[in-house]
Amino acid sequence: MNQDENPSAKRKILNDPVYGFITLQDPVVFAIIEHPWFQRLRRIKQVGMSHLVYPGALHTRFHHALGAMHLMSLAIDSLREKGITITREEEQGALVAILLHDIGHGPFSHSLEYSLVRNVNHEVISGIFMERLNTELGGALNTGIDIFYNRHPKFFLHQLVSSQLDMDRLDYLSRDSFYTGVSEGVVSNQRIIKMLHVHDGRLVVEEKGIYSIEKFIVARRLMYWQVYLHKTVVAAEKLLINILRRARHLAGEGEALFASPALSFFLRNDLTRDAFQSDPDVLQRFASLDDFDIMGAIKVWQSHSDGILSDLCTSLVNRRLPAVLVSRIPFPEKEVQKLRAQTKENLHLNEDTLAYYFEADTITNHAYVPDNDRIFILMKSGELTDLAEASDNHSLRSQTEAVNKYVIYLPKDIAAKRR
C-alpha cells in the first residue's frame, strides 16, 4: 500500500521523555503499533517489580519498543552516511524486527518468565506473534521476520536487533536509568550509534568509539546490580513467582480461584510451543494477559481460604517482602539448614509448603560474554580486535567473567535473629 493512498498513514509524531520527538512514517510500522496485540504492551511493566524499590519505574514495554525502534532508525541513517547499502525494504524490516522483538513478553516482563507459560520463552512467543501478524498484513513482515531469525543475508541487521550491542540494550539502559533515577545506567546512545560501522558484513565499532563502549559495558553491569538484580527487587519477584506457583497448585487440585478468563486458562493448563503455533485461541488468550490480570487476581486472593496464598498475596500488596541474605561466597550448608529448619518450625510448614517461604539460590551478572556474539573494534589499521583485548582498561577485562552472588530468601523475623 502506498503511503499517499491512506491519509491515516501520514507522518505521526510521538513525544518520548527520553529522546524527545519520535517520527513514524512507515505505514506498516504504524499498522503494527495500532494493532491490539502491540497496544497490550502498554499494560506490561518494563522492569517488573522494580517500582517497589524505585517508585518511578512504571514505564512499559510499549515505551521500550518505540524507543528501540527510534534508535534503529538513527543507526540505519548513520550507517547509510558511511556508504553502507540498506534498502528501503531492509530498513522497514529492521524497524519491524526491533519493534516486535519483545511482543511475546507476558505480565511483568521477565519476572514471570516460565511462571504462567512454563515451557515456552518470550522469544518463541514473539516469533509466533510476528508470523500471525504477517499473515494479517499480507506478508508485509517477511523481511523483518528474516532479520529477527537471522535468516537475512545481511548479518549486521540482525545484530542491530539482537547482539551484545543492539538497539534493545541501548534503549533499555537509558530508559530504565531515566525512570529509576539510577544515573549509573546513562550511556552515550547517539555517540555509540555514530561510531557503528560494518566490516565484512559484521557490525563493528570504530576505534574512536571504544571509550563509549567501555562505558556501555560498565553501565550494564551496574544497572544489573542496582536495578534488575537489586536484592529487594528479586525478593519481590520471588514473592510474585511463588504466588503464581501456589495458584497453579490450587487450580490443579480443582480449587475455585478468582481470575480473568485468560489467567484462569493459563493457571489450569500447561501449554507447549506446538499449542501456541497450532491453536490460534491459545495465542489470543495470551494476548489478553497483562499486569492487570495478575494484580487484580492477587488483590482478591488476599481473602482466599488457602492460608498460604492469602498470606503471600497480602504480603505483596502491602509490600511486606521476604528478607534476602546476600554473600559473595556460598553460605555454609550448616547455616542454610539451620535457617531452613527455623522457618519451617516458626511458620508451621511442611516440606512441600516450605519452598514458598525459604529458598537458597544464586544470581549471576555477566556484563560481556565474548564467547557469544563479540563486540569487535575496527582499529585504524583496518584490523578487527575484540573489545576486551582492544581496551586499555584492565577492569573492563574482568567484565568478561560471570560474577555470582549467593542469596537466601526467608522471612524477615528469621533473618533478624541471624544477626
Side-chain angles (χ1 to χ4, degrees):
M1 177 177 61
N2 187 297
Q3 182 174 328
D4 293 334
E5 296 174 1
N6 184 0
S8 67
K10 297 293 186 180
R11 188 173 69 156
K12 306 289 181 180
I13 298 177
L14 306 177
N15 194 351
D16 181 77
V18 178
Y19 307 125
F21 293 110
I22 295 176
T23 302
L24 305 176
Q25 300 187 74
D26 189 290
V28 171
V29 166
F30 191 70
I32 291 170
I33 293 172
E34 284 198 310
H35 196 282
W37 289 350
F38 191 84
Q39 289 292 315
R40 163 183 169 271
L41 298 181
R42 292 181 183 270
R43 304 186 298 277
I44 296 179
K45 291 184 183 66
Q46 166 75 5
V47 282
M49 306 305 289
S50 295
H51 64 285
L52 294 180
V53 177
Y54 303 102
L58 294 167
H59 56 303
T60 67
R61 286 279 156 186
F62 185 84
H63 293 126
H64 166 58
L66 292 177
M69 181 199 66
H70 172 67
L71 294 184
M72 177 67 78
S73 179
L74 296 181
I76 288 172
D77 288 344
S78 179
L79 291 175
R80 279 174 170 163
E81 289 172 2
K82 296 176 182 180
I84 306 302
T85 300
I86 301 172
T87 68
R88 177 68 186 86
E89 178 185 324
E90 290 166 344
E91 176 185 12
Q92 183 189 77
L95 294 177
V96 164
I98 196 66
L99 191 64
L100 294 173
H101 76 284
D102 274 345
I103 197 171
H105 266 297
F108 291 98
S109 297
H110 291 285
S111 300
L112 291 183
E113 187 106 25
Y114 298 110
S115 293
L116 285 170
V117 183
R118 294 189 286 187
N119 305 306
V120 192
N121 64 33
H122 79 271
E123 289 93 349
V124 169
I125 298 175
S126 290
I128 297 170
F129 269 122
M130 292 172 73
E131 296 285 357
R132 296 283 172 80
L133 283 169
N134 193 35
T135 300
E136 285 190 26
L137 297 175
L141 310 190
N142 284 337
T143 301
I145 291 173
D146 284 345
I147 291 172
F148 180 78
Y149 283 120
N150 194 21
R151 298 193 300 239
H152 192 277
K154 293 183 179 177
F155 174 52
F156 71 89
L157 292 175
H158 174 74
Q159 288 182 291
L160 288 171
V161 175
S162 179
S163 68
Q164 294 198 82
L165 186 60
D166 55 32
M167 300 305 104
D168 173 33
R169 296 186 184 195
L170 283 181
D171 179 78
Y172 76 62
L173 285 178
S174 293
R175 190 165 302 277
D176 298 348
S177 174
F178 178 88
Y179 281 98
T180 59
V182 178
S183 60
E184 287 82 358
V186 175
V187 293
S188 304
N189 282 341
Q190 293 198 24
R191 175 163 176 78
I192 289 174
I193 287 172
K194 287 294 184 183
M195 294 299 105
L196 295 178
H197 212 316
V198 175
H199 182 83
D200 291 338
R202 172 181 290 275
L203 192 69
V204 298
V205 180
E206 295 171 351
E207 183 178 358
K208 57 188 175 182
I210 189 169
Y211 298 120
S212 296
I213 304 302
E214 289 179 359
K215 172 65 166 59
F216 162 76
I217 298 296
V218 172
R220 187 165 182 265
R221 172 180 174 270
L222 294 177
M223 283 293 286
Y224 266 85
W225 287 135
Q226 291 191 235
V227 178
Y228 315 125
L229 297 177
H230 186 290
K231 70 174 188 175
T232 306
V233 172
V234 296
E237 292 178 347
K238 182 64 65 175
L239 182 56
L240 179 60
I241 289 168
N242 282 337
I243 288 171
L244 268 294
R245 192 158 63 90
R246 185 63 178 177
R248 285 182 67 96
H249 170 76
L250 295 174
E253 292 193 336
E255 287 276 350
L257 283 171
F258 171 88
S260 67
L263 177 57
S264 180
F265 177 78
F266 285 98
L267 288 177
R268 299 179 186 280
N269 294 279
D270 283 323
L271 285 309
T272 64
R273 178 173 181 162
D274 287 343
F276 274 87
Q277 290 177 322
S278 62
D279 187 350
D281 183 59
V282 172
L283 191 68
Q284 185 56 53
R285 286 177 184 268
F286 186 84
S288 300
L289 272 177
D290 55 49
D291 293 4
F292 295 97
D293 294 78
I294 305 300
M295 286 310 301
I298 287 174
K299 287 174 64 179
V300 175
W301 292 344
Q302 291 179 95
S303 303
H304 196 276
S305 58
D306 180 76
I308 291 176
L309 181 64
S310 172
D311 180 54
L312 295 175
C313 291
T314 301
S315 295
L316 184 63
V317 170
N318 295 317
R319 200 188 177 279
R320 296 203 307 266
L321 307 177
V324 183
L325 306 179
V326 182
S327 174
R328 292 186 178 276
I329 59 174
F331 289 94
E333 184 60 26
K334 185 176 180 180
E335 180 179 13
V336 174
Q337 293 305 323
K338 178 182 177 182
L339 294 171
R340 183 191 300 272
Q342 289 177 342
T343 302
K344 183 178 179 180
E345 179 181 354
N346 284 24
L347 299 183
H348 308 292
L349 303 169
N350 58 39
E351 281 300 320
D352 291 333
T353 56
L354 177 61
Y356 293 112
Y357 293 92
F358 185 95
E359 182 179 346
D361 199 3
T362 305
I363 54 178
T364 302
N365 188 352
H366 210 164
Y368 177 56
V369 189
D371 292 338
N372 291 352
D373 179 36
R374 294 191 283 174
I375 299 175
F376 282 103
I377 306 299
L378 180 61
M379 310 302 287
K380 294 177 182 176
S381 63
E383 178 186 4
L384 285 186
T385 306
D386 179 82
L387 170 64
E389 298 172 4
S391 173
D392 58 8
N393 184 346
H394 295 292
S395 65
L396 179 69
R397 295 171 191 175
S398 66
Q399 309 294 326
T400 64
E401 300 175 1
V403 178
N404 294 320
K405 289 186 179 180
Y406 302 88
V407 297
I408 296 176
Y409 307 94
L410 73 171
K412 284 188 175 178
D413 57 339
I414 304 295
K417 291 176 183 177
R418 175 178 179 267
R419 300 191 188 97

